[in-house]
Amino acid sequence: MNDAPRPLIDPDDVRIFSGRSNPGLAAGIARHLGLPLDPTHVDRFRNDNLEIQLGASVRGRTVFLVQSFVAPVAEHLLELLMMLDIARGAAAREVHAIIPYFSYARSDKKNQPRISITARLIADLIETAGASHVMTMTLHSPQVHGFFGVPIDPLTARALFVNHLRDCRLTPDSAVVVAPDAGGAKSAARFAEHLGLPVAVATKTRISDTQVMIDPLVGRQVVGFRRALIYDDEIATGGSVAELCEILVDHGVADILVACTHGLFLGNAIDRLAHIPQISQIVTTDTVHIPASKRLVNMRILSVAPVFGEAIRRNFRHESLGDLFAFGDGRR
Amino acid sequence: MNDAPRPLIDPDDVRIFSGRSNPGLAAGIARHLGLPLDPTHVDRFRNDNLEIQLGASVRGRTVFLVQSFVAPVAEHLLELLMMLDIARGAAAREVHAIIPYFSYARSDKKNQPRISITARLIADLIETAGASHVMTMTLHSPQVHGFFGVPIDPLTARALFVNHLRDCRLTPDSAVVVAPDAGGAKSAARFAEHLGLPVAVATKTRISDTQVMIDPLVGRQVVGFRRALIYDDEIATGGSVAELCEILVDHGVADILVACTHGLFLGNAIDRLAHIPQISQIVTTDTVHIPASKRLVNMRILSVAPVFGEAIRRNFRHESLGDLFAFGDGRR
Amino acid sequence: MNDAPRPLIDPDDVRIFSGRSNPGLAAGIARHLGLPLDPTHVDRFRNDNLEIQLGASVRGRTVFLVQSFVAPVAEHLLELLMMLDIARGAAAREVHAIIPYFSYARSDKKNQPRISITARLIADLIETAGASHVMTMTLHSPQVHGFFGVPIDPLTARALFVNHLRDCRLTPDSAVVVAPDAGGAKSAARFAEHLGLPVAVATKTRISDTQVMIDPLVGRQVVGFRRALIYDDEIATGGSVAELCEILVDHGVADILVACTHGLFLGNAIDRLAHIPQISQIVTTDTVHIPASKRLVNMRILSVAPVFGEAIRRNFRHESLGDLFAFGDGRR
Amino acid sequence: MNDAPRPLIDPDDVRIFSGRSNPGLAAGIARHLGLPLDPTHVDRFRNDNLEIQLGASVRGRTVFLVQSFVAPVAEHLLELLMMLDIARGAAAREVHAIIPYFSYARSDKKNQPRISITARLIADLIETAGASHVMTMTLHSPQVHGFFGVPIDPLTARALFVNHLRDCRLTPDSAVVVAPDAGGAKSAARFAEHLGLPVAVATKTRISDTQVMIDPLVGRQVVGFRRALIYDDEIATGGSVAELCEILVDHGVADILVACTHGLFLGNAIDRLAHIPQISQIVTTDTVHIPASKRLVNMRILSVAPVFGEAIRRNFRHESLGDLFAFGDGRR
Amino acid sequence: MNDAPRPLIDPDDVRIFSGRSNPGLAAGIARHLGLPLDPTHVDRFRNDNLEIQLGASVRGRTVFLVQSFVAPVAEHLLELLMMLDIARGAAAREVHAIIPYFSYARSDKKNQPRISITARLIADLIETAGASHVMTMTLHSPQVHGFFGVPIDPLTARALFVNHLRDCRLTPDSAVVVAPDAGGAKSAARFAEHLGLPVAVATKTRISDTQVMIDPLVGRQVVGFRRALIYDDEIATGGSVAELCEILVDHGVADILVACTHGLFLGNAIDRLAHIPQISQIVTTDTVHIPASKRLVNMRILSVAPVFGEAIRRNFRHESLGDLFAFGDGRR
Amino acid sequence: MNDAPRPLIDPDDVRIFSGRSNPGLAAGIARHLGLPLDPTHVDRFRNDNLEIQLGASVRGRTVFLVQSFVAPVAEHLLELLMMLDIARGAAAREVHAIIPYFSYARSDKKNQPRISITARLIADLIETAGASHVMTMTLHSPQVHGFFGVPIDPLTARALFVNHLRDCRLTPDSAVVVAPDAGGAKSAARFAEHLGLPVAVATKTRISDTQVMIDPLVGRQVVGFRRALIYDDEIATGGSVAELCEILVDHGVADILVACTHGLFLGNAIDRLAHIPQISQIVTTDTVHIPASKRLVNMRILSVAPVFGEAIRRNFRHESLGDLFAFGDGRR
């Protein structure tokens, strides 16, 4: 998007710092803006307390702090809270928390007694620590937006996916978008609409207390399609995707694309996906850092740096975020 | 539930007041507890300002204020806010807002630019006005729980429905629960599980900018069932239900039951439903007051007074709300 | 004041939106500033919930929201609260609530047990919803200023009145200013001082529980004056004014002018005033919209648009509001 | 009211402490309740910092802190704020500020640019320091009630005055209540109503920039009355009262009673009043401590200790404060 | 302290839960109170998010949550914050955070630019998450007390140490208390005073950028003493203590006792201390759990369970915490 | 520092006002910045209430309010709080409290039961009154920084002292820095490091309940030095310094310099110091105004105006405060 990087905003007015969760993405965002990534010094006292110093003066400036909530989540959270506290305490003009992957968005309701709606708790902690604004991407449910007391812009990677998939020549007669469960139906349908493709929805049945199975019924919906695009907001262990692929293949699907915004690929996820020959491509983003060891040959990692960079630029220039914004995005 | 009403809690410690939206339900709650409903005087100045007086001393007491957000919603909201303000300002010990129907729960996300997540705004207003705790029933989405900064108990009428429907002898081979759209799938499935019945989910297709149509596909799912139970959290104009009934009948369903927690029956809803002969019963509750003119002969209105009354009693006695609580209830 | 309207402030930095209570005044304010009035889309869901969208990007801008608290007051209040919430949530830089008529200023004290000092409650709600600053006009009592936690500028229309009345050639030997009750004495006196006229104060006696009568004593104070100017902050039903006119006429006053900032003219107010031949002129403002049907031939409606426009301009340019400000104005 | 003092509430649940402004009244309140006045140790460091220690454990208890805002006002204010902070920090259950004379209630509006509505500021400081409830007496204007974010009970000494004056045999044909200025009209009228007497109102005219004069007009209103009762909320230097007395005497009044809640008697007030032979009695209260040197022989000081004591007792027992409460009391 | 454990407070009014940092101490506190330790279920989602459930109803109850900030500190902190959030959200009456070791108290000032005073940040987070009261032990500096907005009781283990050391027969002619650096001088002096012993203070000199050395000067102060008691609030790697021992031995000390409240014993601390033959006893407490592998034969671990238990009991009964409280304790 | 004063910042964007505690310093700060000192009108009502008006428009501007907490401390505090309230209420853009001497920093911990950590209370009051930022100098303990919820810059006069003392030719072989007690050891050591001098620390012994004595031991540390520089943050009555001088002289010191940031010189401090012939110079600053009567011939008063002025300028221009900042300064 930005071949010859040059400052789009006065570099002296802005500071960008990264936590330790995803420095590559932070660097990419800074590069997109033609700005330096300012150094963050993180150390640890002998008693395991964190010791953080922001490496450039923030007085009177607009500060952006980039941190994804990947493992170790609690430490990355505290790291961000401390960075927010430092920026506010050092008299920054505005303090923006950029959280590409907000893992706790999954804890968004109380489906058992005496548990925490942790997404709200963390929204409050972020406000307490000094954030004046938050940017994030594809929250698990769009309602989590309402948990924040400060303005928040949940962005979307949809445009990146649509752009990329255009080259894959998916046509409505041969290809179908598949949501791996009912929760993702709405989001998948909206995605399919952008691609001009039909949509099928898998549902799950509880077999026993600990086991859930995908209803084979979804197979009937995909009969006649040669290609399928499985779409979800996040892939963790890849178990559901693998199970779903099996059903799709059983019903005649010969070529499968898998797309997800947050590619966690935990446990033996990579192994599982690598052993399904019908998967021709896995498309994901860098909201979560993916180490080389997990990068399968058929994996395409789209960088969200231009999305966040562009949002920062527009925010700074008071332009509308328009198509970057995830209106109603998320699984519900 | 309570044949010989008698105080379950010291009447001098508690005050129950009702706004003007649903005094019948408030009276029922008080009756369930064996307590008097204390008078609320609502008047109006010539400039349309409200003038409210609580008719009994609240100093040091636990106060319950009952108000549903039905039309005129803005006025009923302000009425509740003023009642909260009065109770707090007059040194009540605890101030509980009982909101059987929280209409703004539908405004729970930002699916267009520059709109308000009004459910969060109103949660904040209720806290500002002085509520120390909130009770409500079946929020449109369970995430709305997280919009509140004060403790909130979203209750459920599910037990009432299950009890009532037991007499209808719905059996898994002849009857199916139907969710009128994807959003309600999860909630319908959970309800079906309680009744030991299978579940089918209708989905909708957008035909034009202003028109949405139920996919006839749902018909295939109900083939072979003679009876269907349509379940939703709220019925407004009844349009979707009517359209759905047509499809069900077309596919062989001969007997339809309709169940919803919040029976608004707006516009010509009553007319529409009255003209579908296959509907043998409409089961709803009194979270929204239903005037005599809307009470069809095949309508059963289950009172939620015992649910709220019981919740108040347990809350007062520090007992767990257990089965009264809507864990993850709502359409999503 | 502004024959050739042209932008006094960079139009891209500012957004002006109007609620539905008084769009004419809002348009006038925008016109005075040479700025467009940005569109507000207000709709209503079937369940009576409001659905509002601001029609122009507010990110990083200074936003002015204009709304008078006229009937339906509760709805206009909620409308404003939602507009404030939208502007703040969409990352506006500053959000100013312009409330030309703040009706609830009358609920400013607790003269009975268990009522609400609603003016304070509403000030708190406005702050909760996101206002960073408030502008209003002639509060019923000047103390209401202190109810707000955010900066507030209560403006005055006094200069407009004094300018206008200059043409009426009221002289201290023939004309007297009359306050219709003790509460308005201070304000009337200050007004009379600006005009260089003497002042008389009517007082009221309670005859029975529901009836209050103007003391005929005021008549003695006006003996010798041919002309009288009755001055009050607001005229609601016009009952007191009519009763007062009768006494004045009985004591020799032949020509009466009536002046009020907020002309509500509720019930049969217009009828009453139209039937008093001695009233040669009724001077009021457009803080409250006056429909054509209420515009008597002897009515002069002074627009406060230049006052608010000027205040906005000076506020934006960091100039003192000086003479626009209602220092101690109001009835007390 | 309380011949044989005995605890009306469990003494171990309650602590009463006094600041240095009016320990006599605090002791009287404690005595009325049959409770000990707990010791407060106030010292001063060499750099003029205050050093305060509450002399009894407050953990889990209901704490009452008594302080009047008399000179040195700033120090007495800080003293109270520190006492509040101590009680809250030491885990008191409730912390009540008892402020018999809230002097800053006079700073209740902005009648010049760039001044402080200090009454609101101080209400906020008191809340910040930890007060959960406030009791005070006869605020200068009743709107000041609305400045507080915590519940507040403004009490009245009216019953004490009415009781006391009953013995003075004031009859409607011979005695009139006189308000010394328009601001006090409403309060005087209400007082007169309780006594069954007529009321007259003095008004003032500005002669020059620095001089204000009572309009002799008030004289006409009192013609025919032999006795007058001048009533105001507070007497500071006594100047207005002295000037008013002169006019009353000139118009035939032979016997004058002066009544005020807050008897400050500053400057040469005592001298002035002592030299008006027609003043047969000055009735005031002990909200402000009156040293022996200021106690004229014709002065009656009614203790408000029973009023505050009774309010504390009722508050503790959750009884209505009813007739102790100053509904709409104050000068306006 | 409590041979026959029995409930000192109504067990139904109280709930005690433990995080995973120090369940042994939590169990000890519960045992001291004769109450059960209620279960906490802590699990982890695949994306490393914590999933916590409190295992007993807390509605209307007084809840105590026990957690020490030991490694992994960030996770134990988040765990506590979630437990606080759950308790508050589930309508507990009071929520007390019991933090025996508050590690971040060391981050109590800004000695470099752009760092965080993390102790204040965490105090704010704890308040945001819902704590109504905090109990902790021996903060690194007593000023940290002032970082909390909610009441906090910093307790002390001093009485435990004094009791235990009485048996060691330390006499003022043969034994001296030694503070390992200037920061600990005040605290060591106070401790020595309780034991009736003299005190010596070691100071440190910076040799290079990364090296600090204990001034041999301290040796001169201990000449003539056969026994020394090194006292500090916390021992981390034991480096300073080892270095100090060497100097003491060089100056004739033959028997060394080491006492610290928080025994972290990180890195090779245990090894270091085990190899100093003159150390006859290491006395510490269980604010930090010490695994069996670190328990040297000459180590005495005094349990602080009775201190916290007693504080809880007194707090619950509204008794003064008196001698349990660490007035001015800490290193400064 | 600034021979030809000229505005370093746009004078129309900034307002500087002074309270009555130290107008000379405020004028010096304004002069350093080449800006006018705007007038503050402070008056007093008859009831001792303060009446304050800021004498220049602050709308939209950056406002600096200068006030030291010297006697009468409570009044100067209230004065500052009112000035903050005025500036915020009059819509200033930023409100900075400049507090050169923050006396209550000494009340920074709870060393007795039921006292107030007043430094925290006052930090909260300052935030409540409307400060958006605070600047101060050499807090008694650096932890007090953490008491503030708004950004605060504690500055240091160290550079001024070091500059000034360079001329005194103190050399490490002949001169030693002496801390008058253990609390000041750290600060004195850092100061000595800047001067390249060795450091000695006096300690104190409690003789009786009310008497404390400096340990003569300090004498041994200074043997061999001809010159000594006593350094402390504040000198109050000068008692400790005088006692310390005696010991120093007894041990051979012939020339003593005394340096302190805050020169209060209370009681007979001036007398005491004047009678010690070995004191060749007393160096202090003007954070506290020193009247002519207290200015000994050997006193040098360094103005901190350039330090505050420079900090204001850098803050306004978003430059780092670098060496002006007191990292970890203070007695501990």
Side-chain angles (χ1 to χ4, degrees), chain F residues 137-187:
Chain F
M137 185 164 275
T138 312
L139 293 165
H140 185 65
S141 67
Q143 286 85 0
V144 171
H145 187 144
F147 290 2
F148 284 82
V150 294
I152 166 169
D153 289 313
L155 306 176
T156 180
R158 210 184 288 141
L160 295 180
F161 282 116
V162 170
N163 266 356
H164 175 81
L165 292 171
R166 210 157 277 158
D167 298 340
C168 299
R169 300 170 189 274
L170 300 165
T171 56
D173 51 333
S174 69
V176 62
V177 173
V178 186
D181 59 29
K186 218 160 185 173
S187 175

Side-chain angles (χ1 to χ4, degrees), chain D residues 46-50 53-56 72-75 82 85-86 101 103-104 113-116 118 128 237 266, chain F residues 46-50 53-56 72-75 78 82 85-86 101 103-104 113-116 118 128 237 266:
Chain D
R46 295 306 298 257
N47 62 359
D48 199 51
N49 279 4
L50 288 175
Q53 186 177 38
L54 296 184
V73 172
E75 183 143 320
M82 289 173 69
D85 181 50
I86 294 168
Y101 173 56
S103 61
Y104 269 106
R114 275 160 282 120
I115 64 167
S116 162
T118 317
T128 295
T237 61
L266 303 167
Chain F
R46 297 307 299 258
N47 63 358
D48 199 51
N49 280 5
L50 289 175
Q53 186 177 38
L54 296 184
V73 172
E75 184 144 318
L78 180 55
M82 288 174 68
D85 182 50
I86 294 169
Y101 174 55
S103 62
Y104 270 106
R114 274 160 282 121
I115 66 167
S116 163
T118 316
T128 294
T237 61
L266 304 167

Side-chain angles (χ1 to χ4, degrees), chain A residues 256-287:
Chain A
I256 300 174
L257 289 86
V258 176
C260 69
T261 301
H262 307 300
L264 297 168
F265 305 118
L266 303 166
N268 56 349
I270 287 300
D271 239 39
R272 267 182 184 148
L273 298 176
H275 285 88
I276 303 174
Q278 290 83 2
I279 296 182
S280 61
Q281 198 172 114
I282 298 170
V283 197
T284 187
T285 80
D286 58 354
T287 59

